[in-house]
Every structure is written in structure tokens, then in C-alpha cells.
């Protein structure tokens, strides 16, 4: 049976460890591709254009929107974030599971366009731990951190639309759980329609 890639949307509060979790998953297991989103926010220290994000201007981002070159896009803390279509489709066709790190607005838009997408929400063990992680970054002002925490409160209202919660308490254990969830998702009948149809034809 030919394995088709799953579009995996990973969301979570800022500071929950989404990016670290996905990078570790990709480095430890084969068959994953990490989608690179486009954004108008400034790069953080150590970030490289084309690796963490495609960093671009607001004008350029709006040109890509107009050309229908994004799967989804949304505004978060006064910046645009979006997912380029071409890369994602190419990797899915190659049988790779494509990981998208997207905030909640974008995740629900992707689910509308791709009903078979798997939606995962990464959470810290507690809000106190979330605040500690944001402070530990040392890359943002207190005002931005408070803005992110307020946004987390808004995002908490949409968690029930996701397929699975992933509590990021211990990174290594969390990566194993994440891989197990994705492996199990491949066995869902809704993601194996062609195989089921072939089976029925063979039986008849």
C-alpha cells in the first residue's frame, strides 16, 4: 500500500516549545518534512531566512496573498504569518508527513481546505511554566510577553477543535508521544480510502 503524507498542523501557546519539539521529531525520525512559513516579523537572534521562516516585507506578503500562493495566513501580534502552497504539496506527494507550525486561526482554515489534516495542540504543563519559558527566551520585552499571554487566553477557547493535545513536560517523552500519535493517524480509515476501495473491488 502506497503511503501518502499527512498534513500535520501543530499549534500551541507561544513558549510551549512547538518549534523545538518539531525539530527534534524531524531529526530523530524519518519521513517528516518541516514546512517553512512566511512572516513579516523581524528575525530573532540566530534565526536564518529560509530555515526558521521566510522573512519578508508586508508589501511582498500581500503580493503572495493576491497570487493565491498561501494555504493559509493570519495576523498574530501585529505581523503576518502564512504557509506557502508549493512546498507542502510537493512533500505530501512524495509521501512525507508535513509539519506546519501555525497559530489557531490558520489551523482551522487549513482544516477547512484539507479535512484529512491532523491538528495537534502543544501545551505546557502549566501557565506558570509557560511564563517562565517566555522569560527565559530573553528575546522579548515584558510588554510583548504580556501580549503573548493574553493571546494564549484567547487561543484556549479553540483548543477543543484539535484532534489531540500534546503536553510538553519532558521533551524526549513528548517527541515519542507525538510520533506515536502521527503513526496511529496513518491507520485511520478516512486516510486510507483508496486502499479500502481496492479491497472492496478485489472482494467483489
Amino acid at each position: 500500500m502506497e503511503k501518502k503524507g499527512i498534513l500535520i498542523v501543530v499549534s500551541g501557546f507561544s513558549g510551549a516549545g512547538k518549534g523545538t519539539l518539531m525539530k527534534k521529531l524531524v531529526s530523530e525520525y524519518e519521513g517528516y518534512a518541516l514546512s517553512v512559513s512566511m512572516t513579516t516579523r523581524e528575525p530573532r537572534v540566530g534565526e536564518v531566512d529560509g530555515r526558521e521562516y521566510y522573512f519578508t516585507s508586508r508589501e511582498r506578503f500581500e503580493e503572495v496573498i493576491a497570487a493565491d500562493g498561501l494555504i493559509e495566513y493570519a495576523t498574530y501580534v501585529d505581523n503576518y504569518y502564512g504557509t506557502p502552497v508549493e512546498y507542502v504539496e510537493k512533500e505530501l506527494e512524495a509521501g512525507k508527513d508535513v509539519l506546519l507550525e501555525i497559530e489557531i486561526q490558520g489551523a482551522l482554515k487549513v482544516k477547512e481546505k484539507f479535512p484529512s489534516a491532523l491538528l495537534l495542540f502543544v501545551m505546557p504543563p502549566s501557565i506558570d511554566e509557560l511564563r517562565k519559558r517566555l522569560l527565559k527566551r530573553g528575546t522579548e520585552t515584558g510588554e510583548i510577553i504580556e501580549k503573548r499571554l493574553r493571546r494564549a487566553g484567547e487561543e484556549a477557547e479553540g483548543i477543543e477543535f484539535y484532534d489531540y493535545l500534546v503536553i510538553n513536560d519532558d521533551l524526549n517523552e513528548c517527541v515519542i508521544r507525538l510520533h506515536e500519535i502521527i503513526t496511529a493517524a496513518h491507520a485511520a480509515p478516512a486516510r486510507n480510502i483508496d486502499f479500502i476501495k481496492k479491497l472492496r473491488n478485489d472482494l467483489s
Side-chain angles (χ1 to χ4, degrees):
M1 183 173 64
E2 186 181 342
K3 175 182 174 286
K4 291 186 177 179
I6 297 177
L7 188 57
I8 302 156
V9 178
V10 182
S11 303
F13 306 139
S14 180
K18 306 179 295 295
T20 304
L21 187 59
M22 290 192 297
K23 284 173 188 169
K24 193 166 176 63
L25 181 71
V26 170
S27 70
E28 295 195 1
Y29 296 95
E30 293 183 358
Y32 290 107
L34 194 58
S35 176
V36 181
S37 295
M38 183 180 290
T39 184
T40 58
R41 80 155 169 77
E42 291 296 315
R44 295 189 186 121
V45 176
E47 289 184 330
V48 176
D49 183 49
R51 187 180 69 189
E52 280 78 17
Y53 287 95
Y54 294 113
F55 296 100
T56 191
S57 66
R58 181 170 285 268
E59 291 74 23
R60 174 61 187 146
F61 197 104
E62 289 172 350
E63 287 173 6
V64 177
I65 293 172
D68 201 24
L70 300 170
I71 290 176
E72 57 73 41
Y73 70 93
T75 305
Y76 178 70
V77 192
D78 305 324
N79 281 299
Y80 277 130
Y81 291 81
T83 305
V85 172
E86 190 177 349
Y87 174 85
V88 171
E89 290 183 340
K90 182 183 73 175
E91 294 299 317
L92 288 174
E93 297 261 337
K96 293 278 186 76
D97 292 331
V98 180
L99 296 153
L100 307 181
E101 181 182 343
I102 307 177
E103 52 68 58
I104 199 162
Q105 289 173 289
L108 299 181
K109 288 177 188 173
V110 170
K111 190 72 171 176
E112 286 176 13
K113 290 183 182 178
F114 298 87
S116 65
L118 179 66
L119 270 57
L120 308 175
F121 198 93
V122 179
M123 300 181 71
S126 70
I127 297 305
D128 282 345
E129 177 62 23
L130 180 64
R131 187 184 292 273
K132 283 179 193 172
R133 290 179 188 178
L134 287 169
L135 289 167
K136 192 175 177 182
R137 273 182 181 174
T139 58
E140 290 155 340
T141 64
E143 184 183 349
I144 292 293
I145 288 172
E146 289 308 313
K147 219 173 192 181
R148 291 192 185 282
L149 288 171
R150 283 197 299 273
R151 180 57 186 260
E154 295 169 12
E155 289 175 334
E157 297 300 317
I159 295 171
E160 64 270 23
F161 295 112
Y162 283 71
D163 297 306
Y164 292 93
L165 293 180
V166 182
I167 308 299
N168 187 11
D169 42 7
D170 177 277
L171 180 62
N172 292 325
E173 289 180 9
C174 193
V175 168
I176 292 168
R177 285 198 303 271
L178 189 57
H179 179 64
E180 288 173 346
I181 288 169
I182 295 165
T183 300
H186 271 282
R191 295 190 178 93
N192 292 278
I193 296 300
D194 290 344
F195 177 69
I196 292 167
K197 284 179 180 175
K198 182 181 182 305
L199 191 72
R200 284 177 178 155
N201 287 337
D202 290 348
L203 285 168
S204 61

